[in-house]
Amino acid sequence: MANLVEVNDTAGALSAERRLEWNYRPETVAHHTLSMRDFVRLVERHKRMILIVIALITLPVLAYQLLSPNRYSSTSQVQVQLIDEVGTNQADISNRNEVRVSNAVRLHRSRSSAEAVVNDLDLLDDPDFLKEMGAPADGSVKMHRAINTLLGMLSVTSEPASDLIQVTITSGSPELSARIANQYPLSVSKVRTRRGTEQREQLLQSLLTERDEREEAARSASSALAEFRRDAGMPFGLGTNENLSYMNQIAAEAASASANSAGSSSRSAVIAGAAGLRSTAQATSAAVQQLEKQQATLLAEKARLGATFGSGHPDMARVTSELSSVESALASQRADARAAAQAVANAEAAQMREMARSQAAQDAARAGRLQGALASVQSKAFENNSNSVRLAELERDDALANSAFSSIVERIEQIRAQMQLEGVNTTVVSPAVADYDRISPAPAKMTVMAMLGSAVLGIMMALGIELADGRLRTSAHVSRHFGLPTLGMLPRIEAGLSEKIAESPVIQDPHSLFAEAARSIYSEMRGLRTHAGSQSVLITSPLPNDGKSTVSLTLAAAAKVMGQSVVLVDLDLRMKGLLKDVQANLDTPDIVDVLSGRASLDDLLQDPEAKPMLDTPDGLSPEDIDNAFAQDTGRIVILSAKRPVENPAAILTAQRLRHLLAALKQHFDLLIINAPAALAVRDARAMCDFTDHTLVVSRWGRTTIEQMSATLETLSGRADGVVFDHVDYAEHARRQYGDAIQFYVAASDYYSDNYEASPTLRERFMRLFRRKQAARDGYSY
């Protein structure tokens, strides 16, 4: 068996370089994404809580739906309009109507509006509404309860970018809900306009009285002005200023007419002289133009023939003869054309002279008439000068009276328009109709919604629990957060380990799950070696009571079973614990005796009780045993204190402790140091220098990520692996983390344990109680 151990040690040594890559490095922490398989496991892990949440929500909803009375609703569509003084809907041209719609919604929800509806419909005497109110009441309490009931039945909603609001009333009577929904906008309008209407009516009455007075004053002023104009012979517009303007206009026109007359006479003389100077030298006609073209043609032909044949050629003579005839005819035609042109010019000149004379006579006559009219107007104007002052006074009175009357009439019309249209108005565009299809209860719909909602809530709660639960339970957690390997997971023993080494499950029940897990952790620990020979391991944990003493004693027992000689040195001397109880049962020197010099190391090594051999296996002869265990010492030495030490620093000096540990490594195959908790004191960090490897014990389901992270920082990363202790295999498998432990029940044939169902809630409570009791007793494991 020793040979098998050596082979295992050699294989572990070959993989040491790979294991060193697992040393804690914070930068190796990876982000974990939730896969669908992880989600299914999460739901399976918390299915009880999810089912409880679903039941706690769904069953009350179902009961409420089944016991609730029928409810009906009616909705009226109301349009919110902003009307100006001329009746234009400003909501159609302004995008600021959202504020007014929101204000209209608030007004519909006000208690004053609800009170107006109660009074308008006389709901306090309506049997259907009294049923909605429930218990009877009197006086102001009755109105108060009616308002609260009506507001509870009311729902006012609006949509963005719309001037429509929906007024919905829900009650047990379809007719009642329809009546209230249709009455609500009317009552709200009354509430909004009541006070403003009263003030405007008072103002309108006073304005009407004043209008009558101003109308009479305007009529009197107009009559006085008309009578004065009639008596003074002054038509409208013939006052002093008007007469002066009229006279200036006539004088200007008379002067213009005289100037035109003189100009026309001069123009007539000039036209007569100019008509005789008209030239006819250039007069022409169609015949003259035809003869001129023939002359040009013959001259061109004569020039061509003269250049070609000379002057004696017959064609030359013919052309010369034709040219003479054409020139003679041309001279005659030109004389006729000039005579005709002269006659036309003489006629036109005579016509122009006559027209000029006529225009001159006309202008002279007009100038005379204008002069006469001017004299008449001037005479009448001087007559009206004495009446101009009185006329101006009457005109002012008439203008003021009419202006005052027009102002009061305009004001009255404005007030009337405001009373009818102006302001924010609500108009029912779609009245409510009684709907006999109930809106509630809807047991099937609400139950399904409750189930879905509660299921989502339960899953969210489960996810929240998982995210908030920072406790370590799996090797995946350790690897993901710290980049360290998990050497094994030691099952929980309800009764705890015995104070006698020989009663350890690893030795007493080698086929148990606990023994298998212990041997597996031992093998993983031996695989950490980087050199042959003795191995030293430091065992620590984040906090006390995490189980480092249990792990240390279990590893020592596993090493004994594997044929190794092991010494377990307990350096956690401050607290009472399992190793101190074991030391108290041994009749051997403790660590205080050895370090203080009262006992030597030889006394410890030579004590037969300190190195017990393995029991003889059944069915083997003494010869077989000698052959199988020829090199197997198979002993455990426990070196602890029999009681807590008050001042451990006084005896654990570095030099003395180093000598002791060096001597122990020369005599044993495995040295295990049980160090104090890393977060309690700083001794564990200093003790890391005394050993080859450091293992951190994590209490399953109790040690948190923060505690482990702080522990590794305290150890300056001097950690080679993690060992889980107090692992509840049944609970771990139920949680379905997806590791090997999930299937341990299926492999139970390899173990001698009797597997039972998962613990009940009472058993878990009692287990928790025992843990707290042990913690109060100060027991360290």
Side-chain angles (χ1 to χ4, degrees):
M1 187 171 185
N3 294 332
L4 293 177
V5 173
E6 289 299 329
V7 172
N8 185 30
D9 293 345
T10 304
L14 293 176
S15 62
E17 294 182 359
R18 177 180 60 83
R19 292 180 177 275
L20 288 176
E21 297 177 357
W22 288 88
N23 286 341
Y24 170 66
R25 296 186 301 274
E27 62 272 12
T28 62
V29 177
H31 296 285
H32 177 65
T33 57
L34 185 66
S35 65
M36 180 57 67
R37 182 57 184 165
D38 294 334
F39 178 77
V40 173
R41 290 171 178 167
L42 183 145
V43 174
E44 180 67 23
R45 196 175 307 146
H46 298 278
K47 62 181 179 182
R48 295 179 182 176
M49 183 196 69
I50 295 174
L51 292 176
I52 291 174
V53 171
I54 293 175
L56 291 178
I57 295 177
T58 305
L59 293 179
V61 169
L62 178 60
Y64 176 80
Q65 290 294 313
L66 294 177
L67 297 177
S68 297
N70 294 338
R71 305 291 291 176
Y72 305 90
S73 69
S74 298
T75 302
S76 61
Q77 300 287 338
V78 180
Q79 185 178 20
V80 180
Q81 298 176 334
L82 175 64
I83 308 300
D84 61 8
E85 64 274 9
V86 297
T88 303
N89 184 6
Q90 297 297 308
D92 296 335
I93 61 177
S94 175
N95 57 1
R96 295 176 297 175
N97 199 45
E98 293 184 3
V99 176
R100 301 180 182 94
V101 172
S102 178
N103 292 337
V105 171
R106 295 190 185 96
L107 184 58
H108 279 73
R109 295 172 179 169
S110 65
R111 297 184 64 85
S112 59
S113 299
E115 183 179 5
V117 173
V118 172
N119 292 328
D120 293 341
L121 291 180
D122 198 13
L123 295 179
L124 294 179
D125 295 330
D126 192 312
D128 294 333
F129 186 78
L130 294 177
K131 291 180 181 179
E132 298 287 340
M133 290 180 57
D138 296 326
S140 59
V141 177
K142 187 175 183 180
M143 175 58 72
H144 175 74
R145 184 174 297 174
I147 293 174
N148 292 337
T149 301
L150 184 57
L151 292 177
M153 298 164 58
L154 173 67
S155 173
V156 184
T157 59
S158 63
E159 297 180 358
S162 174
D163 60 352
L164 293 178
I165 61 176
Q166 294 79 34
V167 179
T168 303
I169 300 296
T170 302
S171 70
S173 171
E175 295 83 0
L176 177 64
S177 61
R179 284 192 291 112
I180 296 178
N182 289 327
Q183 180 63 37
Y184 229 103
L186 302 178
S187 300
V188 170
S189 297
K190 292 181 181 179
V191 172
R192 181 192 295 113
T193 60
R194 181 184 303 159
R195 184 171 182 180
T197 301
E198 293 175 355
Q199 294 177 350
R200 286 190 177 95
E201 287 179 352
Q202 296 176 359
L203 178 59
L204 181 60
Q205 292 299 324
S206 63
L207 290 177
L208 289 175
T209 302
E210 186 177 357
R211 183 199 63 178
D212 296 338
E213 296 176 356
R214 292 187 181 183
E215 183 179 7
E216 183 62 28
R219 184 182 299 107
S220 299
S222 298
S223 299
L225 178 61
E227 291 175 357
F228 179 79
R229 286 185 177 276
R230 182 193 61 196
D231 296 341
M234 297 177 65
F236 182 78
L238 291 180
T240 302
N241 294 331
E242 290 81 356
N243 291 336
L244 180 59
S245 176
Y246 187 41
M247 287 188 294
N248 291 335
Q249 181 181 359
I250 294 176
E253 291 183 359
S256 176
S258 297
N260 290 338
S261 176
S264 297
S265 299
S266 300
R267 188 165 53 253
S268 177
V270 172
I271 291 174
L277 298 176
R278 191 168 183 179
S279 174
T280 60
Q282 299 299 327
T284 184
S285 65
V288 172
Q289 293 176 358
Q290 181 66 28
L291 291 173
E292 286 177 349
K293 290 181 180 180
Q294 292 179 5
Q295 182 185 15
T297 302
L298 292 174
L299 287 175
E301 186 177 1
K302 181 180 179 180
R304 180 179 60 81
L305 293 176
T308 305
F309 302 107
S311 59
H313 195 272
D315 291 337
M316 187 70 177
R318 178 182 56 78
V319 171
T320 301
S321 176
E322 291 178 359
L323 182 60
S324 298
S325 299
V326 169
E327 289 176 351
S328 175
L330 179 60
S332 176
Q333 290 297 328
R334 284 177 176 173
D336 295 340
R338 282 192 294 271
Q342 185 64 42
V344 172
N346 293 336
E348 292 178 353
Q351 183 180 3
M352 293 174 63
R353 284 193 298 270
E354 291 299 327
M355 291 179 63
R357 292 190 188 100
S358 174
Q359 183 66 37
Q362 182 180 357
D363 291 340
R366 182 171 179 272
R369 288 195 300 272
L370 290 174
Q371 290 294 335
L374 178 59
S376 176
V377 170
Q378 288 176 346
S379 175
K380 185 63 177 177
F382 286 119
E383 294 178 0
N384 291 332
N385 282 339
S386 59
N387 299 324
S388 60
V389 176
R390 179 58 180 169
L391 179 64
E393 181 181 352
L394 293 175
E395 286 179 344
R396 285 196 300 270
D397 293 342
D398 181 65
L400 290 174
N402 284 282
S403 176
F405 178 73
S406 299
S407 177
I408 197 66
V409 170
E410 182 179 355
R411 179 60 175 162
I412 291 173
E413 294 300 326
Q414 182 180 3
I415 294 298
R416 285 176 174 173
Q418 290 177 349
M419 292 177 64
Q420 296 176 2
L421 297 173
E422 187 181 10
V424 178
N425 293 332
T426 53
T427 305
V428 178
V429 295
S430 178
V433 179
D435 187 0
Y436 293 90
D437 293 333
R438 69 180 186 184
I439 62 170
S440 67
K445 176 182 176 182
M446 297 305 297
T447 303
V448 171
M449 292 180 62
M451 290 182 62
L452 294 178
S454 58
V456 173
L457 177 62
I459 293 174
M460 294 299 294
M461 292 175 60
L463 183 60
I465 292 174
E466 287 290 325
L467 295 177
D469 185 9
R471 293 172 290 184
L472 298 173
R473 288 189 177 89
T474 67
S475 58
H477 291 167
V478 176
S479 175
R480 182 168 65 248
H481 291 286
F482 309 108
L484 290 175
T486 299
L487 303 187
M489 307 186 78
L490 200 61
R492 182 184 63 229
I493 298 179
E494 294 294 337
L497 290 182
S498 173
E499 298 172 357
K500 297 180 180 179
I501 300 176
E503 296 179 358
S504 172
V506 181
I507 300 174
Q508 193 175 45
D509 190 4
H511 296 293
S512 65
L513 176 61
F514 187 90
E516 291 290 345
R519 289 192 293 269
S520 175
I521 295 173
Y522 170 76
S523 299
E524 293 291 332
M525 180 193 67
R526 295 292 284 177
L528 295 174
R529 292 191 304 168
T530 58
H531 56 80
S534 178
Q535 181 183 15
S536 57
V537 177
L538 178 75
I539 306 296
T540 185
S541 64
L543 297 173
N545 300 322
D546 282 340
K548 53 186 178 57
S549 299
T550 301
V551 174
S552 299
L553 193 59
T554 300
L555 287 177
K560 172 183 172 61
V561 172
M562 299 298 288
Q564 299 290 301
S565 60
V566 56
V567 57
L568 174 56
V569 180
D570 181 19
L571 298 182
D572 187 7
L573 304 178
R574 292 176 173 83
M575 298 179 62
K576 179 183 177 182
L578 176 63
L579 296 181
K580 294 178 180 59
D581 294 337
V582 174
Q583 181 70 52
N585 292 329
L586 297 176
D587 189 16
T588 58
D590 63 2
I591 191 171
V592 177
D593 296 333
V594 175
L595 292 177
S596 62
R598 293 194 297 268
S600 64
L601 185 59
D602 293 337
D603 296 335
L604 178 66
L605 297 177
Q606 294 176 2
D607 191 329
E609 295 296 329
K611 47 181 179 180
M613 298 295 294
L614 285 173
D615 296 336
T616 301
D618 296 336
L620 294 179
S621 62
E623 292 79 11
D624 295 332
I625 296 174
D626 293 337
N627 294 331
F629 301 102
Q631 300 177 353
D632 188 2
T633 56
R635 62 175 179 170
I636 298 177
V637 173
I638 303 296
L639 190 58
S640 179
K642 295 181 180 179
R643 64 187 60 85
V645 179
E646 296 181 357
N647 186 15
I651 61 176
L652 295 178
T653 59
Q655 190 67 23
R656 184 179 301 176
L657 184 60
R658 285 181 182 273
H659 288 311
L660 174 62
L661 297 179
L664 291 175
K665 290 182 67 174
Q666 294 178 359
H667 293 84
F668 293 91
D669 298 323
L670 178 61
L671 168 63
I672 299 176
I673 297 178
N674 181 58
L679 299 182
V681 292
R682 293 296 181 266
D683 296 350
R685 171 62 186 89
M687 295 177 186
C688 290
D689 298 333
F690 302 156
T691 60
D692 300 328
H693 309 290
T694 300
L695 302 183
V696 181
V697 177
S698 173
R699 184 71 172 263
W700 185 87
R702 193 179 78 174
T703 302
T704 65
I705 297 174
E706 290 79 7
Q707 293 172 359
M708 183 62 70
S709 178
T711 299
L712 297 177
E713 290 179 2
T714 302
L715 299 177
S716 301
R718 295 287 298 275
D720 298 279
V722 175
V723 175
F724 279 97
D725 181 48
H726 281 70
V727 180
D728 187 342
Y729 268 52
E731 178 65 17
H732 190 105
R734 188 192 67 81
R735 288 175 172 268
Q736 297 189 13
Y737 287 112
D739 53 9
I741 298 179
Q742 179 178 342
F743 312 102
Y744 86 101
V745 176
S748 60
D749 293 341
Y750 285 89
Y751 314 131
S752 59
D753 308 73
N754 293 322
Y755 296 100
E756 300 177 355
S758 299
T760 62
L761 185 62
R762 180 178 180 277
E763 292 173 346
R764 294 181 182 179
F765 177 77
M766 296 302 297
R767 185 183 303 164
L768 180 62
F769 176 77
R770 286 195 295 269
R771 291 178 185 173
K772 292 183 178 180
Q773 185 66 34
R776 284 195 297 269
D777 294 341
Y779 218 73
S780 176
Y781 292 97

